[in-house]
């Protein structure tokens, strides 16, 4: 079977309650609500310690608007802590050896009722002039089991920590006055089997529209390409929430990357009865469009306007990448008709210092680090991601395998699947949907085959332009493996992929997970008592990064693979246990510092010359002993020299590496790479002196003073000759001056139990781990110089200046006046 681009047209006709307010002609507003929240821990088992919520004579279940305790508008939250979103309270908690292994030994979950419920409250103003508009509150992600009240009115509940939720709050609001939103979050029950964080860890928005408007996520743009021409099909779902019928025009304006108009089109004389919604379709033809690709991720904007009675009453903007995708059972994946091997990694959604509360700029930092390795794809393991990750992938040209959280065919499962797909389907980076991952109870039996088929058929009605996969860890010839459009192979050791392909010749294939070398950055000798491992292939049959990549590279019918994982993540420190608290499966550590294996993949996935030597050359006490030296390079030949003496030249096998056994002597180890007989690249490692000075560097030295932007600062220990000391483990303290704040610190140590966040009254500090640490700085809304000073006992301190420049801030609820 070839999975091709197909356009599916859907017609929706659903009734709504009747409203009688007069029309208001304000344009749509999408207001950020991330600032100035109040936060406090509640209690999962004692209602009296949970601020007495739901203990009144009448509860919010008994009487509308009777939210009590912390859900009530009148509740006094003045003693609660002030926080900005995104926020993850789990990262602030201490570790314990008796806590959940899978979730990184943080003191949260059913064993810890006093730290497993969090409350958030925020006050905001709604203008009198907003009366008559439709107003909703949008949560991009709350982990987990969240309940929301507005002015004491219960507005909704969401079990999943990965779903985006939108609640209509129009009739609960105080117009021309103050309003209160309260959110209770309960993390007692784990949803995943890895660190998940806790709290409102994604953005919150206030949406205001006219009652005649484009629905939330209401556009869907698909493209067909024929030579140098393209035809866009634009689906616009319009809601008329007036009581009476409305006549209007739908105008589509396509803008290029410079915001210049490319083409416009109108659908006129449209009529929609009151309290109805409908989908409308328009075709837009383009000559010589610029296509979205990995190399040139070109983005257009589509501005959809609703015009009624001569006035524009609503405008909705959609990011558009013009491209086609298809999977072929014999030839793999095609983007814009070009065969592309998918070079991907699996990634969870936490980072050093901030947990799951990842600022937008940090999402881009992480995606760029993977792209630097030569990777072109991310699998969002094992849940729908934050929209800002997809935005970054759209801009950077990273492909995305977008994954659903849980398989099933009941109303709740379908609702979560539909909301997730409708939210994400306009992202050009999304090239494949995953319906689920390693559902062991069903993946290898007939129930799995049936559930996969039913989910696939349901999902195709939402998006027929992309294919669907399921990540399966065994029993490939049975269960879900019989019915998935694209077979998702989890680990080549789990079955015979070649044999499965022969049995199911119609089925496309992709490696949804494959083994990476497990290990701790900068560690070359196992020290399991301290939670550290030397990098090695620890899967059965010694399968690791190199053998996995060679397997997939040799089979054109396999579209590509996703290694487990791109980044280390909290939790699942397998095969170790306490004191290890983080996984070590990553090609990159939790901070984003590359491990050695990063350079193996960069050699064979990237296009630039690469030379990397492992290990370092600081082995005091090992003089005269053999040290295994590994070279990762894409040079045809490599010569290794110790203290200017050649140790020989070897030929590099394609997709391979080289090894020497070298008698250790302090000094300089140099690797030279030759292609076509010419020196193309070289690298050296040296025996350094003792740690002498601190060095600071940042991914960016100019930030936006918008209260959201961040700089990712590397803290490094050097010797007196400014050489990196890879064995340094000194403690460093930090002082920040100017319009910024530190929001997290880390060092990539998978067994560190140090705090990653400190209160404003406590000195920020962190131990260096194998020469490196990281500090994340966030701007405030004032421009100026941010000065970071790092000191360490007995060493020369370092200072870094970051310019926070005046910037246009996103519209927020703080800007509203009565």
């Amino acid at each position: 079977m070839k999975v091709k681009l197909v356009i599916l047209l859907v017609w929706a006709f659903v009734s709504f309650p009747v409203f009688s307010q007069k029309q208001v002609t304000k344009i749509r507003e999408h207001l950020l609500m991330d600032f100035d929240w109040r936060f406090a821990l509640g209690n999962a088992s004692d209602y009296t310690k949970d601020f007495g919520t739901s203990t009144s004579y009448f509860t919010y279940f008994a009487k509308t608007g009777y939210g009590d305790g912390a859900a009530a508008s009148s509740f006094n939250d003045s003693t609660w802590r002030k926080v900005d979103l995104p926020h993850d309270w789990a990262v602030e908690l201490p570790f314990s050896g008796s806590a959940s292994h899978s979730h990184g030994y943080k003191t949260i979950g059913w064993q810890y009722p006093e730290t497993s419920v969090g409350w958030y409250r925020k006050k905001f103003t709604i203008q009198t002039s907003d009366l008559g508009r439709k107003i909703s509150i949008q949560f991009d992600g709350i982990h987990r089991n969240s309940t929301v009240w507005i002015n004491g009115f219960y507005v909704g509940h969401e079990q999943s920590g990965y779903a985006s939720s939108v609640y209509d709050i129009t009739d609960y609001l105080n117009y021309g006055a103050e309003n209160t939103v309260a959110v209770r979050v309960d993390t007692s029950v784990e949803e995943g089997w890895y660190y998940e964080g806790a709290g409102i860890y994604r953005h919150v928005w206030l949406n205001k529209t006219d009652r005649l408007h484009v629905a939330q996520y209401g556009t869907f743009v698909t493209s067909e390409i024929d030579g140098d021409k393209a035809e866009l099909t634009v689906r616009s779902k319009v809601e008329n929430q007036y009581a009476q019928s409305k006549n209007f025009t739908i105008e589509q304006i396509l803008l290029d990357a410079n915001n210049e108009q490319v083409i416009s089109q109108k659908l006129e004389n449209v009529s929609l009865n009151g309290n109805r919604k409908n989908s409308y379709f328009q075709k837009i033809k383009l000559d010589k469009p610029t296509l979205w690709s990995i190399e040139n991720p070109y983005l257009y904007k589509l501005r959809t306007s609703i015009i009624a009675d001569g006035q524009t009453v609503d405008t909705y903007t959609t990011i558009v990448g013009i491209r086609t995708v298809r999977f072929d059972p014999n030839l793999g994946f095609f983007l814009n008709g070009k065969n592309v091997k998918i070079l991907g990694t699996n990634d969870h959604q936490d980072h050093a210092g901030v947990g799951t509360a990842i600022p937008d700029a940090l999402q881009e930092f992480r995606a760029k680090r993977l792209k630097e390795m030569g990777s072109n794809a991310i699998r969002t393991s094992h849940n729908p991601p934050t929209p800002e990750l997809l935005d970054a992938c759209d801009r950077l040209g990273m492909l995305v395998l977008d994954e659903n959280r849980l398989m099933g065919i009941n109303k709740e499962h379908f609702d979560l699947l539909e909301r997730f797909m409708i939210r994400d389907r306009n992202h050009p980076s999304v090239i494949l949907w995953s319906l689920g991952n390693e559902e062991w109870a069903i993946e290898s039996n007939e129930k799995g085959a049936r559930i996969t088929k039913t989910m696939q058929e349901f999902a195709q009605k939402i998006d027929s332009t992309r294919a669907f996969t399921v990540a399966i860890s065994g029993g490939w010839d049975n269960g879900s493996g019989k019915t998935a459009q694209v077979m998702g192979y989890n680990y080549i050791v789990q079955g015979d992929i070649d044999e499965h392909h022969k049995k199911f010749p119609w089925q496309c294939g992709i490696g949804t997970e494959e083994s990476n070398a497990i290990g701790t950055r900068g560690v070359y000798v196992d020290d399991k008592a301290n939670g550290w491992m030397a990098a090695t292939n620890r899967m059965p049959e010694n399968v690791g990064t190199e053998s996995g990549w060679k397997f997939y590279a040799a089979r054109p019918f396999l579209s590509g693979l996703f290694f487990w994982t791109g980044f280390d993540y909290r939790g699942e420190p397998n095969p170790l246990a306490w004191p290890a608290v983080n996984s070590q499966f990553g090609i990159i550590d939790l901070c984003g510092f590359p491990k050695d294996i990063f350079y193996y993949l960069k050699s064979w996935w990237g296009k630039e010359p690469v030379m990397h030597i492992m290990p370092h050359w600081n082995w005091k006490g090992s003089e005269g002993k053999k040290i295994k030296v590994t070279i990762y390079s894409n040079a045809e030949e490599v010569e290794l020299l110790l203290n200017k003496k050649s140790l020989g030249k070897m030929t590099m096998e394609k997709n391979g590496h080289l090894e020497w056994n070298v008698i250790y002597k302090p000094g300089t180890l140099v690797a030279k790479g030759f292609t076509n007989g010419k020196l193309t690249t070289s690298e050296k490692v040296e025996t350094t002196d003792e740690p002498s000075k601190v060095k600071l560097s940042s991914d960016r030295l100019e930030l936006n003073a918008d209260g959201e932007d961040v700089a990712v600062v590397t803290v490094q220990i050097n010797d007196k000759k400014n050489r990196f000391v890879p064995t340094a483990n000194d403690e460093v303290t930090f002082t920040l001056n100017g319009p910024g704040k530190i929001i997290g610190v880390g060092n990539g140590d998978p067994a560190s139990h140090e705090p990653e966040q400190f209160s404003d009254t406590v000195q920020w500090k962190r131990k260096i781990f194998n020469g490196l640490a990281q500090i994340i700085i966030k701007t405030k809304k004032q421009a100026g110089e941010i000065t970071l000073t790092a000191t360490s006992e007995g060493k020369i301190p370092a200072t870094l200046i970051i310019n926070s420049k005046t910037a246009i801030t996103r519209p927020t609820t703080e800007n509203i006046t009565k």
Side-chain angles (χ1 to χ4, degrees):
M1 180 189 80
K2 290 186 178 181
V3 182
K4 297 182 179 179
L5 181 91
V6 180
I7 307 298
L8 180 71
L9 308 184
V10 178
W11 191 270
F13 192 71
V14 182
S15 64
F16 280 90
V18 174
F19 294 93
S20 59
Q21 286 95 331
K22 66 179 181 179
Q23 181 173 353
V24 179
T25 56
K26 282 188 176 181
I27 302 299
R28 174 187 299 260
E29 294 178 82
H30 187 55
L31 305 175
L32 189 66
M33 294 187 72
D34 284 1
F35 301 104
D36 299 327
W37 288 73
R38 295 279 185 168
F39 171 77
L41 292 173
N43 195 286
S45 62
D46 188 337
Y47 278 36
T48 63
K49 295 179 181 178
D50 200 36
F51 307 106
T53 309
S54 301
T55 61
S56 299
Y57 187 85
F58 292 112
T59 70
Y60 68 94
F61 280 131
K63 297 286 185 180
T64 298
Y66 270 63
D68 61 343
S73 293
S74 59
F75 178 82
N76 183 2
D77 59 19
S78 61
T79 62
W80 288 17
R81 179 157 62 103
K82 291 183 179 180
V83 298
D84 291 337
L85 307 181
H87 178 243
D88 173 6
W89 87 74
V91 76
E92 305 169 4
L93 298 176
F95 296 92
S96 170
S98 61
S100 170
H101 169 88
S102 68
H103 281 58
Y105 294 98
K106 283 288 188 176
T107 49
I108 196 168
W110 64 269
Q111 296 181 82
Y112 304 95
E114 68 282 356
T115 55
S116 294
V117 167
W119 280 89
Y120 296 84
R121 287 171 55 90
K122 178 179 172 64
K123 297 186 184 299
F124 61 100
T125 299
I126 294 293
Q127 295 166 306
T128 303
S129 59
D130 284 330
L131 186 63
R133 304 177 82 186
K134 291 300 291 186
I135 301 178
S136 63
I137 191 168
Q138 172 185 329
F139 296 91
D140 285 345
I142 307 173
H143 196 83
R144 61 170 295 276
N145 191 13
S146 60
T147 308
V148 180
W149 294 264
I150 295 287
N151 297 328
F153 289 88
Y154 167 71
V155 297
H157 176 250
E158 178 57 66
Q159 287 270 13
S160 177
Y162 303 100
S164 296
S165 302
V166 181
Y167 302 113
D168 183 352
I169 60 175
T170 306
D171 296 333
Y172 300 134
L173 293 169
N174 302 319
Y175 292 85
E178 188 176 74
N179 296 267
T180 303
V181 55
V183 183
R184 184 182 187 271
V185 186
D186 189 344
T187 63
S188 300
V189 178
E190 298 172 350
E191 187 172 353
W193 51 98
Y194 37 84
Y195 178 88
E196 300 182 275
I200 308 179
Y201 71 100
R202 294 180 182 171
H203 293 307
V204 180
W205 308 89
L206 190 72
N207 300 319
K208 302 180 183 182
T209 67
D210 187 86
R211 287 185 179 272
L212 179 65
H213 60 267
V214 178
Q216 180 76 5
Y217 310 121
T219 59
F220 184 27
V221 184
T222 58
S223 53
E224 292 183 281
I225 300 169
D226 185 7
D228 63 352
K229 299 181 184 298
E231 182 176 74
L232 306 185
T233 299
V234 182
R235 177 195 305 177
S236 305
K237 181 180 285 187
V238 179
E239 296 181 342
N240 177 17
Q241 294 176 323
Y242 288 101
Q244 65 273 26
S245 175
K246 287 289 181 182
N247 297 316
F248 55 93
T249 294
I250 303 174
E251 182 181 49
Q252 308 287 0
I253 298 177
L254 188 69
L255 305 172
D256 65 17
N258 296 316
N259 257 5
E260 298 291 332
Q261 181 173 319
V262 177
I263 194 170
S264 66
Q265 187 183 100
K266 290 183 178 180
L267 181 64
E268 299 181 307
N269 301 317
V270 181
S271 181
L272 183 60
N273 289 336
N275 296 308
R276 296 292 190 269
K277 62 182 177 181
N278 212 345
S279 290
Y280 303 91
F281 300 88
Q282 293 165 271
K283 298 281 189 178
I284 298 176
K285 294 185 178 181
L286 295 174
D287 291 326
K288 298 180 180 179
T290 303
L291 303 186
W292 185 94
S293 66
I294 294 169
E295 300 79 14
N296 181 31
Y298 192 91
L299 296 173
Y300 293 87
K301 291 179 185 175
L302 183 71
R303 184 177 296 156
T304 304
S305 296
I306 307 298
I307 304 168
D309 299 325
Q311 297 185 69
T312 299
V313 298
D314 189 43
T315 298
Y316 189 88
T317 301
T318 306
I319 300 299
V320 176
I322 300 174
R323 55 97 179 111
T324 60
V325 297
R326 68 180 175 92
F327 287 81
D328 185 281
N330 296 311
L331 299 175
F333 172 69
F334 289 79
L335 177 64
N336 300 327
K338 177 185 176 183
N339 189 226
V340 174
K341 201 74 167 183
I342 294 172
L343 313 173
T345 62
N346 288 267
D347 288 288
H348 285 313
Q349 56 174 16
D350 64 306
H351 191 89
V354 295
T356 57
I358 299 180
D360 297 355
L362 186 55
Q363 298 283 4
E364 184 154 325
F365 168 87
R366 288 165 60 87
K368 283 181 176 178
R369 183 52 52 93
L370 293 170
K371 198 172 178 72
E372 178 188 333
M373 180 178 71
S375 174
N376 63 19
I378 293 172
R379 176 181 173 217
T380 66
S381 315
H382 299 291
N383 48 263
T386 184
E388 286 69 32
L389 173 62
L390 299 183
D391 291 341
C393 290
D394 290 344
R395 292 191 300 270
L396 296 172
M398 288 289 278
L399 309 176
V400 175
L401 198 176
D402 207 355
E403 187 150 276
N404 180 49
R405 171 71 286 279
L406 189 65
M407 295 186 74
I409 58 168
N410 61 31
K411 183 178 179 180
E412 183 177 4
H413 288 124
F414 280 165
D415 176 62
L416 288 169
L417 178 61
E418 182 174 22
R419 281 192 278 149
F420 144 62
M421 290 182 62
I422 288 175
R423 188 198 71 171
D424 292 354
R425 63 186 178 179
N426 277 315
H427 287 279
S429 57
V430 175
I431 52 114
L432 181 63
W433 300 109
S434 172
L435 298 174
N437 172 74
E438 291 188 357
E439 294 284 6
W440 294 328
I442 63 169
E443 68 176 4
S444 60
N445 58 45
E446 196 57 35
K447 288 188 178 70
R450 294 198 300 261
I451 290 170
T452 299
K453 182 175 183 293
T454 300
M455 290 185 73
Q456 224 164 228
E457 290 171 353
F458 173 83
Q460 281 183 303
K461 297 176 183 178
I462 303 166
D463 180 14
S464 63
T465 71
R466 298 175 177 91
F468 298 86
T469 188
V470 178
I472 308 170
S473 61
W476 293 337
D477 297 345
N478 306 301
S480 296
K482 291 166 53 177
T483 53
Q485 286 180 343
V486 178
M487 175 65 193
Y489 299 104
N490 274 17
Y491 305 105
I492 59 178
V493 298
Q494 299 291 73
D496 189 330
I497 290 178
D498 293 326
E499 189 62 28
H500 178 85
H501 181 56
K502 290 178 184 177
K503 289 182 180 179
F504 298 87
W506 56 267
Q507 193 176 51
C508 309
I510 192 166
T512 36
E513 289 181 27
E514 193 47 69
S515 303
N516 176 46
I518 308 173
T520 311
R521 174 185 56 80
V523 170
Y524 300 98
V525 178
D526 279 351
D527 185 359
K528 295 181 181 180
N530 286 312
W532 302 328
M533 295 186 293
T536 186
N537 299 328
R538 296 174 189 269
M539 287 293 285
E541 302 175 28
N542 199 35
V543 172
T545 316
E546 183 173 324
S547 53
W549 168 235
K550 285 180 175 178
F551 183 93
Y552 278 87
R555 289 163 172 78
F557 72 88
L558 292 172
S559 304
L561 81 166
F562 295 86
F563 278 111
W564 190 265
T565 53
F567 287 79
D568 282 350
Y569 55 94
R570 293 172 175 81
E572 282 199 308
N574 307 326
L576 305 183
W578 182 268
V581 295
N582 298 346
S583 86
Q584 301 187 42
F585 301 109
I587 298 164
I588 301 165
D589 75 11
L590 193 62
C591 292
F593 297 132
K595 301 180 187 178
D596 294 298
I597 198 66
F598 175 98
Y599 298 96
Y600 166 77
L601 289 174
K602 187 174 183 179
S603 296
W604 302 113
W605 286 5
K607 297 179 180 179
E608 299 299 321
V610 176
M611 181 65 68
H612 180 75
I613 306 170
M614 65 174 281
H616 57 72
W617 211 238
N618 283 14
W619 295 100
K620 186 177 181 179
S622 295
E623 289 78 3
K625 296 180 181 178
K626 284 186 179 180
I627 301 288
K628 184 175 80 171
V629 174
T630 299
I631 302 295
Y632 295 134
S633 179
N634 48 17
E636 292 176 355
E637 293 181 299
V638 177
E639 182 182 18
L640 190 66
L641 301 94
L642 177 59
N643 297 331
K644 300 182 179 181
K645 180 181 179 181
S646 178
L647 302 179
K649 184 183 287 188
M650 295 190 190
T651 300
M652 179 69 73
E653 173 195 0
K654 184 179 180 180
N655 297 321
H657 73 280
L658 297 174
E659 293 181 1
W660 274 263
N661 286 313
V662 180
I663 302 297
Y664 177 67
K665 293 180 182 179
T668 302
L669 195 63
V670 175
K672 296 181 178 181
F674 299 86
T675 298
N676 295 324
K678 294 182 179 180
L679 179 67
T680 56
T681 182
S682 65
E683 181 69 19
K684 68 178 180 180
V685 292
E686 296 180 272
T687 307
T688 68
D689 297 323
E690 293 299 309
S692 176
K693 55 181 69 175
V694 183
K695 179 183 177 182
L696 297 174
S697 59
S698 178
D699 70 319
R700 298 160 65 208
L701 292 174
E702 188 171 85
L703 302 179
N704 293 317
D706 57 6
E708 299 184 71
D709 207 1
V710 299
V712 183
V713 178
T714 297
V715 187
Q716 179 176 312
I717 299 296
N718 287 353
D719 69 5
K720 61 185 179 182
K721 296 179 182 178
N722 288 320
R723 297 176 299 186
F724 170 60
V725 182
T727 54
N729 291 287
D730 307 88
E731 185 174 85
V732 180
T733 58
F734 304 99
T735 303
L736 192 74
N737 293 300
K741 58 183 178 180
I742 302 171
I743 61 171
V745 290
N747 62 13
D749 180 355
S752 174
H753 302 162
E754 297 172 87
E756 294 180 82
Q757 296 182 359
F758 296 85
S759 69
D760 293 338
T761 60
V762 177
Q763 178 81 54
W764 284 79
K765 59 184 179 180
R766 187 69 170 185
K767 281 191 69 176
I768 294 291
F769 180 65
N770 291 335
L772 297 171
Q774 185 178 89
I775 185 164
I776 302 172
I777 297 172
K778 189 176 186 179
T779 62
K780 296 182 179 178
K781 293 184 180 180
Q782 301 81 38
E785 285 191 349
I786 301 170
T787 303
L788 175 67
T789 301
T791 61
S792 182
E793 186 176 355
K795 296 168 190 64
I796 299 171
T799 299
L800 178 72
I801 297 176
I802 296 171
N803 180 36
S804 183
K805 63 180 182 178
T806 301
I808 297 174
T809 60
R810 294 198 274 198
T812 70
T813 51
E814 281 66 41
N815 299 331
I816 298 174
T817 59
K818 297 180 183 180

